[in-house]
Amino acid sequence: MISLRVKVKCSHCGKQVEKLEAREISPRNYECFDCFKSQRPRNPDQTASALKYNLYCERCRYKFQSARKVCPYCNASDYLEVAGPSADELLSL
């Protein structure tokens, strides 16, 4: 079996890397793994989990965390409220 080592150009740094050492962003647009690693947030506060809301849906009585203010069960946003403290949190006070 023949393995061709095709070189592609990184769209961020312009370096020529093998196609196996890059990820495809869009057709004919590649990013090397070094640029990918350098652009990832290292601080956990910068991740999407820091932007999640504690929500409660009154329609289906479901408590959940989400970055979008839409219930995953009933797909409604008009019955959502910010969730209050849980029973465990109230007992620990």
Side-chain angles (χ1 to χ4, degrees):
M1 186 171 199
I2 298 173
S3 174
L4 298 176
R5 296 188 176 191
V6 178
K7 298 271 185 177
V8 293
K9 185 177 181 179
C10 175
S11 62
H12 293 284
C13 65
K15 185 171 60 170
Q16 292 284 335
V17 294
E18 292 183 13
K19 192 173 184 179
L20 296 175
E21 297 174 359
R23 69 181 195 111
E24 187 174 7
I25 299 171
S26 62
R28 298 182 187 168
N29 194 6
Y30 296 92
E31 179 181 36
C32 67
F33 289 132
D34 293 333
C35 291
F36 173 70
K37 289 178 187 176
S38 67
Q39 291 179 356
R40 291 179 52 196
R42 293 192 175 108
N43 191 352
D45 294 337
Q46 295 175 349
T47 60
S49 64
L51 302 175
K52 290 187 177 179
Y53 302 101
N54 291 326
L55 299 170
Y56 175 75
C57 180
E58 289 183 349
R59 177 183 281 177
C60 59
R61 297 183 182 146
Y62 183 60
K63 186 176 180 181
F64 60 98
Q65 287 184 347
S66 177
R68 294 177 44 210
K69 292 186 177 181
V70 175
C71 179
Y73 274 12
C74 64
N75 203 20
S77 61
D78 52 345
Y79 290 97
L80 290 181
E81 291 185 5
V82 177
S86 65
D88 292 335
E89 292 173 352
L90 289 175
L91 291 174
S92 66
L93 293 175

